[in-house]
Amino acid sequence: MDSQQKKQTTFKRLIGYIKPYKLAFIAAVIGMIGYAGVDTLFFSQIETLIDDGLTEQNSDILIYGAIFVPFFFIIRGFFNFASSYFLNWVGFKVVTKMRQQLFDHLMKLPVSFHDQHSTGDLISKITYDTQQVAEASSRALLVLVREGAFVIGLLGLMFYQSWQLSLVFLVVGPLIAKVVSVVSKRFRKVSSRIQTAMGNVTTTAEQMINGHKVVVMHEGQKKESKRFSEINNTTRNQNMKLVNTRVISTSVIQFIASLSLSMVLVIASFPEMLGELSAGAFTTLLTSMIMLLRPLKQLTNVNSDFQRGIAAATSVFTILDEPIEIDKGSKVIDRAAGQIEFDDVSFGYQQGDDLALEHVSFNVAPGKTIALVGRSGSGKSTISNLLTRFYDVEQGRILLDGHNINDYKLKCLRRQFALVSQHVTLFNDTIANNIAYGASKDVSKDDIIKAAEQAYVTEFTDNMPKGLDTMVGENGVMLSGGQRQRIAIARALLQDAPILILDEATSALDTESERHIQQALGALRKNRTAIVIAHRLSTIENADEILVMDNGEIIERGTHQQLLDQEGAYSQLYNLQFHGGA
Ligand code: ATP
Ligand code: MG
């Protein structure tokens, strides 16, 4: 029952999306009923045509018929247009709204959510699942209302002609309903599998496209192709199952209906019955019964469409129901002084995992520079991730200007940081716009140029015909790693935040450009708090304090000279880098 209830709430929620477009929706429904009405009216005239027109040889009736037939079809066309147009209009409105909601919601979800979901899967929800919701449910609705009304019309006509014969149909009705309900369960299961499979198709394709270079270098084509072919075939299999169920159920239902037809023929053969029925009435009855098969077939398929829509809607709603980033803080400040304190912070990315940070405590005074060094995986980037609240700490506290960072409004907190992270992300836009991305105030072209100069971006853009207005391609593919880093640094420079986090910000630069940028960064650090993460120790020698991390813990701390004098891990590392050993 639980899944049944869930389905009902999904359905109710879906109705909620249609509510704002009530009028268009009603217009569509009127169009559908009108269409069915015209069809029924058409069939009701068969009796007159045969009994009065043909049997009585009344040519007037035939002439009237000739005039009315085109007229019928004009009205029918009009209703058809109204129902299709308004239904699709509402459908596309719903798709658009859902897509936007998904898009907006995905931006608000915590980093941990994105860690756990593949990009392809999420993209497929935005593109495929939303489309499915509208397409499937509007199809289902069209058939349900239009063909449903037609069935009612035909049944009415039949009962009007001979209720005794028509009763047969009522015996068959419940039987058909039973088949439909059995089949619908299967539809739902298969539909949801198809959605998962479509997500896998996008994910696998996206991995191959993104990792194209790795694939060709490691001769992974066969492996990738095999992986994709398996997923591709799963999708096909599931789709075939859907088709199978649909075709078999249609045939079964039509068979049941045909039984009723033969019963009618048997009953009609009784002499009492034969005397009562005119040729026209009997023809109307038979035609109606045969005509009933088509809408009945469509009505049984309605369920597969409907289940497809519900499955897609469930998948969309699951994402929309994911809790967004916790933002309970209310503290708003314009500009932080920049004092940062880690107070006995322990943190693990996932429950049960090893801790990425263990009992980390340190303090940075406003305007000071702290450097984090240590082996790969020792927890340096994690410290940066926690400061910007990409993840929330549960043990220990992180303070900014003496207040827990959870007390700040999230937006306000993040505005205090300019972050150049290990993985530079560029948008498919011009270099200038990438530099200006996220700058709080309206920056002038001059500001951008100044930042570009300071970060040595102009050094390479000057050789480009379009200069700073050059497009960088998707995620900056048209640029070298060092060039990308320089753009990221320029972006941080322009941001003018009180706290600067540089995570391997200059790792891809040659020594000369690095020296120049260090100068610019040095000037920038002057009245800012800075957290500098670097593998190359030369870049952090003049930090106010250096923390040496290992396995999530701070194992040494002090200034460059103090650490050298200690002759511990830092001095070993230093000697290794400067003298190539010893
Ligand atoms: P590097 O110098 O290579 O950048 P790092 O010191 O910055 O290393 P962190 O990125 O802080 O290292 O990682 C610390 C630990 O946390 C590692 O063991 C890593 O496997 C783990 N870790 C990092 N990011 C995640 C994540 N998103 N989910 C789960 N574990 C993670
Ligand atoms: Mg790192």
Side-chain angles (χ1 to χ4, degrees), residues 11 15 22 33 39 51 69 73 138 143 159 179 207 225 260 273 325 366 384 412 422 464 531 540 573:
F11 182 66
I15 297 285
K22 236 181 289 169
I33 296 176
D39 274 5
D51 288 349
V69 167
F73 274 81
S138 37
V143 172
F159 271 86
V179 177
Q207 271 187 29
S225 170
S260 68
M273 274 279 155
E325 279 186 304
S384 145
C412 167
Q422 232 165 339
M464 297 175 167
I531 296 175
I540 49 128
L573 206 64

Side-chain angles (χ1 to χ4, degrees), residues 121-141:
D121 214 27
L122 297 178
I123 290 176
S124 143
K125 281 183 201 286
I126 297 181
T127 54
Y128 180 74
D129 290 6
T130 47
Q131 184 82 26
Q132 285 289 302
V133 172
E135 252 178 38
S137 5
S138 37
R139 239 192 77 89
L141 190 84

Side-chain angles (χ1 to χ4, degrees), residues 6 33 41 51 102 174 188 265 298 312 356 360 400 423 453 461 472 495 500 551 562 576:
K6 219 165 149 191
I33 296 176
L41 196 64
D51 288 349
L102 267 180
R188 195 160 67 233
L265 289 177
Q298 292 194 352
V360 169
L400 172 65
H423 309 283
E453 272 167 3
T461 51
V472 300
Q495 216 175 329
L500 191 65
N551 226 342
Q562 284 168 345
L576 218 61

Side-chain angles (χ1 to χ4, degrees), residues 380-382 422 503-504 533:
K380 303 181 298 291
S381 299
T382 305
Q422 232 165 339
D503 192 347
E504 300 286 348
I533 300 171

